[in-house]
Amino acid sequence: MVGRKITRARERGLTLIELLVVIVILALASTVVLLTAPPSRPPVREEAERFAARLQLALDEAITASKPMRVKIDASGYVFEELEPQTTDAEDQKERWAPVGETPNLARREFDKRTTVTPEIADAANDNARELGDDVSAEGETDAEKGVYAIPLDPLGAQTAFSLRFSSKDGVWTASVDDGGKVTVKENE
């Protein structure tokens, strides 16, 4: 054995290039899986949570600025409005509501087309006014019959309790406000 060279078979391992190619292939495959997977949160939940967050912002704004505000809800969306200062004209004593302009987060928002929204208002004063016929518009229809709901946001913090039920094929979520102004979102079963 003296004088003979022992030759080993060349040990083969992964080169750096091969390793990088494998990592790129895995990254592309995982990207395809993530892009084709359904969203982790249904759009109806996001819509309910977005409304709740914006409503909480409007309630806080009404209280801190001490100004009357309301949320006006119709079939296609909602807008937060504030009461404009009254003019001194004797002929124009009607209240004027205008969309909140300073805060973009309180601008009009359209509901997702796949979502149905149903307001539920628990207000004994409005119910009594409707029964007495005081809540009738010029055309003879109430706003609720037209599908438009105007819910006041009290600057003193005593809130009219109401809830919005957001429903779609992905589920049903409810955004609620109690009479103390606490905003909650929960899934309906």
Side-chain angles (χ1 to χ4, degrees):
M1 293 240 190
V2 177
R4 271 181 65 179
K5 237 181 179 177
I6 300 177
T7 58
R8 290 187 191 178
R10 187 175 139 182
E11 292 185 27
R12 177 109 174 129
L14 292 177
T15 65
L16 183 59
I17 298 293
E18 291 170 333
L19 187 60
L20 287 175
V21 168
V22 170
I23 290 173
V24 167
I25 290 171
L26 287 175
L28 289 174
S30 64
T31 302
V32 169
V33 169
L34 286 175
L35 291 176
T36 59
S40 61
R41 294 170 51 149
V44 68
R45 177 181 178 184
E46 287 183 10
E47 191 75 40
E49 289 177 346
R50 183 179 298 113
F51 175 79
R54 295 179 87 210
L55 180 63
Q56 186 64 59
L57 178 65
L59 287 167
D60 293 345
E61 177 74 18
I63 292 170
T64 56
S66 190
K67 60 182 172 184
M69 293 177 69
R70 70 180 183 182
V71 58
K72 195 169 189 179
I73 305 165
D74 57 35
S76 62
Y78 59 96
V79 64
F80 295 96
E81 299 177 328
E82 61 187 350
L83 187 60
E84 290 183 339
Q86 292 215 352
T87 61
T88 56
D89 295 341
E91 62 188 51
D92 190 19
Q93 289 298 324
K94 186 177 180 185
E95 291 181 336
R96 292 184 186 220
W97 291 91
V100 176
E102 307 103 36
T103 311
N105 292 332
L106 298 180
R108 177 155 180 89
R109 172 104 181 143
E110 300 296 322
F111 293 125
D112 183 71
K113 300 291 185 219
R114 299 166 290 183
T115 303
T116 304
V117 179
T118 309
E120 298 169 6
I121 304 168
D123 186 10
N126 281 342
D127 292 340
N128 289 339
R130 254 183 243 107
E131 290 296 323
L132 295 172
D134 290 344
D135 193 30
V136 178
S137 63
E139 294 86 30
E141 283 185 291
T142 64
D143 282 343
E145 290 169 346
K146 293 179 187 176
V148 178
Y149 299 86
I151 303 164
L153 306 178
D154 193 337
L156 300 177
Q159 182 55 46
T160 299
F162 74 95
S163 62
L164 281 185
R165 183 180 169 103
F166 295 83
S167 55
S168 76
K169 66 178 180 67
D170 297 324
V172 179
W173 289 78
T174 302
S176 302
V177 181
D178 64 13
D179 54 2
K182 181 180 179 188
V183 181
T184 57
V185 177
K186 67 176 184 167
E187 183 177 19
N188 295 23
E189 297 165 12

